Amino acid sequence: ARKIILDCDPGHDDAIALLVAHGDPRVDLVAVTTVAGNQTIDKITRNALAVGRIAGITGVPFARGAERPLVRSPRIAPDIHGDSGLDGPVLPEPVIELDPRPAAQLIVDTVMAHPAGAITLVPTGPLTNIALAARLEPRIVDRVREVVLMGGGVGVGNTTAAAEFNIVVDPEAAHVVFDAGWAVTMVGLDLTHQAIADDAVAERITAIGTAPARFVGELLDFFRGSYRHVFGFPDGPPVHDACAVAFVIDPDVMTTRAVPITVELHGEHTAGMTVADLRRPALEECRTRAAVTLDRDRFWDLVVGAVKGLGDP
Ligand code: BDR
Ligand code: CA
């Protein structure tokens, strides 16, 4: 199984990503780290621990991460995820105890304790912790197998016309991550907007009948409302973050293309934009890729299978 560190800000779709990562035997969750993004770090960390309990996760370290971006002022998304960051379901009291290390330290320790090429980083929130870890211990850049992140997009934004939330919250951190030299696959909005949890999907999930499946159903109910009201999505919400985890589980769920990508830091209208250079075929040494097309059936089969795989913990 592929070993991953999930660095997240749950967040409805982060919660689904965490459940899928634990429920599918093809990935091995070796650490979970939290970052301020959808809500404050206190709320996000609490949510992560509660979702860990619902998933039945034991023996995996959870660590609290950055409480604010590297340079910019904090920015949260209560319009999308509610006041708790995970509005909708009633959350259980967490039982998992937090690891005492800061997230960036846990990431460094975990990557350095494994052989080169063993660990894949899967960030599904702002990239603050990942940038801090790369600066704290630069040797992780060559040691990590790859970074598969949810963020950005090619020619599409959500928080601004040009920029996606995870990138625009901490563009400086994102710049560090895209330019570090490790392999980065950007699972951006142009991909995740193909992963719409419509009514048929929601019915398939709730039909599983277990507590985690009911929880996903409740997450989707709230998330559907946010996406309808804020963005006018008629059919359902996109489960962005689960797409990044799904790609690690089964690369055939999507196609990707090699393309140089960097992050705009200064534009009045474009700060936080992921700028992809599509002018010509990428050079052999290009280390960044963008996700392009989702195999929807394969993706939803994977998600449903993983939620089933959790059983009723
Ligand atoms: C991203 O922002 C957050 O609201 C979601 O959890 C996802 O990671 C989508 O832009
Ligand atoms: Ca997220």
Side-chain angles (χ1 to χ4, degrees):
R2 292 273 303 271
K3 293 189 187 313
I4 69 166
I5 300 176
L6 184 66
D7 182 68
C8 57
D9 63 336
H12 295 71
D13 50 328
D14 300 83
I16 296 169
L18 180 53
L19 295 170
V20 169
H22 185 58
D24 195 301
R26 290 170 286 181
V27 292
D28 179 10
L29 198 53
V30 292
V32 178
T33 51
T34 62
V35 63
N38 289 324
Q39 260 296 348
T40 61
I41 193 65
D42 286 339
K43 292 180 180 179
I44 288 304
T45 304
R46 190 201 170 271
N47 294 347
L49 295 173
V51 176
R53 176 171 182 182
I54 292 163
I57 298 175
T58 54
V60 176
F62 279 60
R64 179 187 150 105
E67 69 173 11
R68 52 160 299 166
L70 296 181
V71 177
R72 307 198 185 213
S73 302
R75 173 168 188 171
I76 56 177
D79 53 332
I80 305 291
H81 298 278
D83 179 61
S84 70
L86 210 49
D87 274 14
V90 177
L91 296 179
E93 273 312 305
V95 289
I96 302 167
E97 245 190 79
L98 267 186
D99 190 281
R101 289 168 284 186
Q105 187 69 56
L106 177 61
I107 292 168
V108 166
D109 291 351
T110 306
V111 171
M112 296 312 289
H114 283 82
I119 302 286
T120 296
L121 302 181
V122 185
T124 61
L127 291 157
T128 321
N129 293 333
I130 308 296
L132 287 169
R135 290 294 190 253
L136 180 62
E137 176 47 275
R139 285 181 296 168
I140 70 167
V141 171
D142 287 330
R143 212 170 172 85
V144 154
R145 176 174 171 143
E146 59 174 328
V147 178
V148 177
L149 64 90
M150 190 283 133
V154 178
V156 49
N158 57 7
T159 304
T160 70
E164 182 278 334
F165 180 79
N166 291 338
I167 307 298
V168 82
V169 166
D170 196 342
E172 286 75 17
H175 194 281
V176 168
V177 171
F178 276 94
D179 286 36
W182 45 23
V184 175
T185 298
M186 177 177 84
V187 180
L189 293 174
D190 40 334
L191 185 290
T192 65
H193 286 175
Q194 299 167 53
I196 300 293
D198 61 16
D199 291 344
V201 164
E203 276 161 31
R204 267 183 88 183
I205 290 172
T206 40
I208 297 168
T210 58
R214 277 194 297 280
F215 176 66
V216 174
E218 290 165 7
L219 290 172
L220 291 176
D221 285 344
F222 183 88
F223 213 33
R224 185 180 306 115
S226 297
Y227 266 82
R228 186 173 297 139
H229 299 132
V230 178
F231 295 115
F233 277 39
D235 299 327
V239 294
H240 309 280
D241 296 338
C243 298
V245 169
F247 178 67
V248 180
I249 291 171
D250 175 11
D252 290 336
V253 294
M254 60 185 76
T255 60
T256 64
R257 66 176 285 182
V259 57
I261 303 169
T262 192
V263 178
E264 169 61 42
L265 297 179
H266 306 294
E268 184 183 353
H269 301 290
T270 54
M273 179 179 180
T274 45
V275 180
D277 187 349
L278 298 166
R279 287 174 292 176
R280 55 182 75 87
L283 299 175
E284 193 68 52
E285 60 264 30
C286 178
R287 303 281 283 154
T288 49
R289 306 185 69 86
V292 180
T293 305
L294 183 71
D295 181 335
R296 290 178 174 80
D297 290 342
R298 197 172 174 109
F299 172 75
W300 290 115
D301 286 351
L302 184 159
V303 171
V304 169
V307 174
K308 272 189 192 148
L310 293 166
D312 229 337

